[in-house]
Amino acid sequence: MKSRLVSILTGAMVLIATTTVVQAQTTSLTQMFPALSGVSLTPEQQTQLQQLSQLTLPEVENVLTDEQKSKFQAELQEGKGVRIALLSVNLSSQQQQQIRGILQTQKVQISKTLTPQQKRQVMQNFWSLQQQGN
């Protein structure tokens, strides 16, 4: 009985992990990192940032409830950015803190990947997005 339950749970975990990986692969870099829009990246940088995206989305989703996760994934599939998708799921203050920490770590990793010129462009894009309310 226990081995059957373990088998079922293992299968469910693999299905969840596979769904998360597929979702991460279909999320564009500009959905994940809107401030990178228009920044010329080398293929190596694109690969590094895509890998970061694939690591970050599952971390964010682990903070969400099942209902929030479904809504979040639906928003991403509609082409909305991660920030907009997160705003739509009504995060608790604890969830906001956890996600803020994840995204802060992500920001540090992005910074390590970019050149000084690219960082300036990202900052310009960031301020532009802030003024637009995105």
Side-chain angles (χ1 to χ4, degrees), residues 6 8 23 41 45 60 62 71 76 91 98 126 128:
V6 168
I8 291 170
Q23 179 65 40
L41 300 170
Q45 288 173 316
V60 168
N62 283 337
K71 184 167 183 160
L76 291 179
L91 299 169
Q98 289 175 296
F126 174 77
S128 178

Side-chain angles (χ1 to χ4, degrees), residues 13-28 50-51 53-59 61-62 69 73 76-77:
M13 288 171 39
V14 167
L15 179 61
I16 290 168
T18 303
T19 302
T20 302
V21 168
V22 168
Q23 179 65 40
Q25 289 174 344
T26 60
T27 304
S28 72
Q50 191 62 45
Q51 289 171 344
S53 173
Q54 290 174 357
L55 294 173
T56 303
L57 273 178
E59 284 184 63
E61 289 179 344
N62 283 337
K69 194 180 302 184
Q73 290 174 348
L76 291 179
Q77 297 229 335

Side-chain angles (χ1 to χ4, degrees), residues 12-116:
M13 288 171 39
V14 167
L15 179 61
I16 290 168
T18 303
T19 302
T20 302
V21 168
V22 168
Q23 179 65 40
Q25 289 174 344
T26 60
T27 304
S28 72
L29 280 178
T30 54
Q31 267 185 292
M32 190 70 194
F33 316 115
L36 287 173
S37 182
V39 176
S40 295
L41 300 170
T42 66
E44 182 180 329
Q45 288 173 316
Q46 288 175 355
T47 300
Q48 290 172 339
L49 293 173
Q50 191 62 45
Q51 289 171 344
L52 180 60
S53 173
Q54 290 174 357
L55 294 173
T56 303
L57 273 178
E59 284 184 63
V60 168
E61 289 179 344
N62 283 337
V63 173
L64 305 176
T65 65
D66 289 341
E67 184 179 321
Q68 288 172 321
K69 194 180 302 184
S70 294
K71 184 167 183 160
F72 177 72
Q73 290 174 348
E75 296 282 318
L76 291 179
Q77 297 229 335
E78 289 178 15
K80 295 181 181 168
V82 170
R83 183 170 182 258
I84 301 297
L86 285 171
L87 289 173
S88 73
V89 299
N90 299 320
L91 299 169
S92 70
S93 58
Q94 183 180 5
Q95 287 174 313
Q96 289 174 12
Q97 263 187 317
Q98 289 175 296
I99 290 174
R100 198 172 293 124
I102 292 166
L103 297 179
Q104 182 62 35
T105 301
Q106 175 193 60
K107 181 180 170 183
V108 170
Q109 293 300 318
I110 292 171
S111 182
K112 290 178 181 179
T113 304
L114 301 176
T115 66

